[in-house]
Each structure stands twice: as C-alpha cells, then as structure tokens.
Amino acid sequence: MVQLKEFRIVMPMSLEEYQVAQMYMVMKMQQQSTNGDEGVEVLENKRFQDDVFGKGQFTSKVYRLQSKAPAWLTTIAPKDALVMQEEAWNAYPRCKTVIKCPYFTKFSLTIETVHRADNGTSENVHGLNEEQLAARQVEIIDIASAETDYWSYAIGSSSFDFSKFKSTKSGRGPLLDGWQDNYRPVMTAYKLVTIDAPYWGFGYRLEQALLAGERALFIESHRNCFGWIDEWFGLTMQQIRELEQQGDCLLNEKISKPALLTDAADCEQRFTHSSERQVQQVVHT
C-alpha cells in the first residue's frame, strides 16, 4: 500500500537563509557520517535546466547505511540491502528527491519539497487532488522538541537545548513553547513523502520503518540547521557552493571511491589549499 505523508518543518529563519543553512547542514552531516565502509558517495553534482523545474542543481548519490538496518530486516535481507541510490533536483524553493534500492527493485521513495515563508499553515502546497488529500497524513515537526525514539538513536541525535539556545551572530533563540506562532523571520519546509514497497509479508513494515527513519532524519537535520547557525550565518551562495564542491571531493576520498563528475575535470585544481582547510574546519567543528 502506498504511504503518503507530509511533514511540515517550521524554521526560525528566512527563505534565503534556509537555502544556505540547508546546503551547509547536508555537507557537514555527510562528512560526519562517512568513513571507509559507510556513508555517502557523490556521483554527480551539476547544474540542470528542464521544463518541469526550470534551473537548478542536480545530484546523484549512493548511501551505504548497513549499520542502520533494523534487526528484523537483516533476517530477510543482507546488510547491503540498505545501499540506496538517490537522485535529487534542487530548484529552490522547489526540490524533488527520488530514492531507490537495488536490492528491493520494486521499492520507491519520493520526497517532494516546497518551501514557503509561513509557519506551516498552508494546506495544499503540493497541489494534491481529492483522492491524494484523503490519503495524506500531515505532521508538523517542532525542532525544539526533545522527543526521541529508536530512529533518533540510529540516525543520530544532537544535544541542542533550544529552550536555552542563543545565536551569537544572529541573536536568534531561544525557542520556547509556541514559538512557531510568533517568531520572525519564519519559514516552513513542506516535505511530501511517497513510499511504496509492494512486497507481501513485510512491505508495510518496511514502509513504516522508512517513514520513521525519514522523520528522524528530518528532525535531526533541521535541528542542526538551526543549531549550527553561527557557522553558516553570513555565508554567500557562492561561498557555500565552493565549500560543497570541495566537500564532495573529500567525501569520495574518505569512502575510497573515484572523484565525482562535475563541470570541472579536477577538484584539486579548482580549490586552493586554504579552502581545503576551511572544509576540514567545518567537518571538525
């Protein structure tokens, strides 16, 4: 049975700030989670233009997540079953991500994201029809919540206490009860997750597990977006793109894979040693 769930993540920042924050967060979390055996391999990172999204950035990645497989899944499939292939089209403020699993060929997971300058009150930003709206579940995520579950530990759980948090550079924080209703600036990432695992006996369980995993990832990544605000606040898009490209090269070195395909032939020629040190500082911050 196809699962359709919309997560609304309200953030205490502007749309323009979130674009930088999200790119910085992805880069840093990928570096932290990648080693010789597991993590993220970047295959492509390039500009694109089409009739659907217009202009944007296309990425193709492989995620090796063997250690995060729930115990019940390893009884019916090898650990390599959690090797995921991701293709993403980022035409901010619209994005689309498609995730497939070579082991489960019928499995599909799509995340469609729309970003709005509101506090999560828009009811149909994805333009769903009546049948889809009837099937859709909606959950509003509070990044200030300290709630944890199994997937929080599997994905990772930051130690930020936003009820006491205060950004030095921006002055943002703390986030107290009901902050979404009166905080300015504010924006929301509306993430529509569609997941289908049509396998008899365990398909529904797999769908629910992956939905829970995506939920935990949304929470952790967006908590980091805000918690790391003093690291990215004030960076330009040009600066964050340069850090992203260099970070992709470092990722593939860590996971012992060939360099990614980009518009330039050689990452080392594109970036100076000083920019390499800057990325290393980001990773170890």
Side-chain angles (χ1 to χ4, degrees):
M1 179 180 178
V2 177
Q3 305 292 319
L4 191 66
K5 186 164 185 177
E6 182 180 294
F7 296 91
R8 301 177 184 178
I9 307 106
V10 185
M11 298 293 291
M13 59 189 68
S14 68
L15 283 173
E16 294 75 17
E17 290 169 341
Y18 178 84
Q19 186 177 17
V20 172
Q22 192 264 349
M23 291 176 64
Y24 181 91
M25 171 273 296
V26 169
M27 178 187 66
K28 184 168 179 175
M29 288 186 68
Q30 286 180 163
Q31 292 286 347
Q32 290 179 338
S33 64
T34 299
N35 54 46
D37 299 318
E38 288 193 355
V40 185
E41 175 192 356
V42 182
L43 303 179
E44 289 188 85
N45 186 348
K46 63 183 182 181
R47 296 182 181 90
F48 80 91
Q49 182 173 357
D50 62 23
D51 295 334
V52 177
F53 293 101
K55 295 181 179 180
Q57 198 78 10
F58 170 80
T59 56
S60 175
K61 302 177 183 180
V62 174
Y63 290 84
R64 294 175 173 83
L65 309 170
Q66 295 92 317
S67 67
K68 302 187 187 305
W72 65 266
L73 182 58
T74 61
T75 65
I76 61 174
K79 286 189 175 181
D80 287 346
L82 273 190
V83 173
M84 302 289 191
Q85 297 175 341
E86 176 196 276
E87 291 186 333
W89 295 261
N90 186 345
Y92 193 81
R94 292 180 60 206
C95 307
K96 181 177 181 179
T97 301
V98 176
I99 299 174
K100 296 182 179 180
C101 179
Y103 189 85
F104 297 109
T105 56
K106 297 179 182 178
F107 163 84
S108 66
L109 190 158
T110 302
I111 304 170
E112 297 169 276
T113 307
V114 174
H115 303 90
R116 288 276 182 91
D118 63 23
N119 63 346
T121 55
S122 297
E123 286 305 320
N124 191 14
V125 299
H126 298 283
L128 303 181
N129 59 37
E130 291 185 4
E131 182 180 357
Q132 291 171 319
L133 287 172
R136 179 193 64 173
Q137 296 176 297
V138 175
E139 179 178 353
I140 298 177
I141 289 177
D142 181 4
I143 64 167
S145 172
E147 173 191 350
T148 58
D149 57 18
Y150 163 80
W151 284 101
S152 302
Y153 294 103
I155 298 296
S157 183
S158 58
S159 59
F160 298 116
D161 182 354
F162 290 134
S163 68
K164 302 176 182 177
F165 180 88
K166 187 74 171 181
S167 164
T168 301
K169 289 186 177 180
S170 69
R172 310 275 171 85
L175 303 181
L176 305 177
D177 288 345
W179 68 269
Q180 302 98 321
D181 295 328
N182 49 41
Y183 212 92
R184 296 295 182 274
V186 70
M187 56 79 60
T188 300
Y190 292 83
K191 292 185 172 291
L192 182 68
V193 180
T194 305
I195 183 169
D196 187 21
Y199 293 96
W200 183 86
F202 70 93
Y204 178 77
R205 191 175 185 184
L206 179 61
E207 291 168 354
Q208 292 301 305
L210 290 172
L211 268 179
E214 288 295 333
R215 177 184 183 275
L217 181 59
F218 293 156
I219 293 173
E220 178 66 6
S221 60
H222 285 80
R223 281 175 58 82
N224 287 336
C225 265
F226 185 53
W228 293 335
I229 187 170
D230 285 340
E231 299 176 30
W232 58 258
F233 192 80
L235 291 177
T236 66
M237 281 300 297
Q238 177 64 29
Q239 289 172 319
I240 202 70
R241 283 290 182 202
E242 290 177 357
L243 288 173
E244 179 189 54
Q245 294 281 5
Q246 181 65 16
D248 288 349
C249 292
L250 292 175
L251 273 181
N252 288 351
E253 290 176 5
K254 290 173 71 174
I255 207 165
S256 302
K257 291 291 179 179
L260 75 163
L261 303 175
T262 61
D263 295 334
D266 191 344
C267 289
E268 291 184 0
Q269 293 180 0
R270 189 187 312 181
F271 299 101
T272 64
H273 292 297
S274 62
S275 66
E276 291 178 3
R277 288 195 296 271
Q278 188 175 7
V279 174
Q280 293 287 2
Q281 290 171 356
V282 167
V283 174
H284 294 103
T285 300

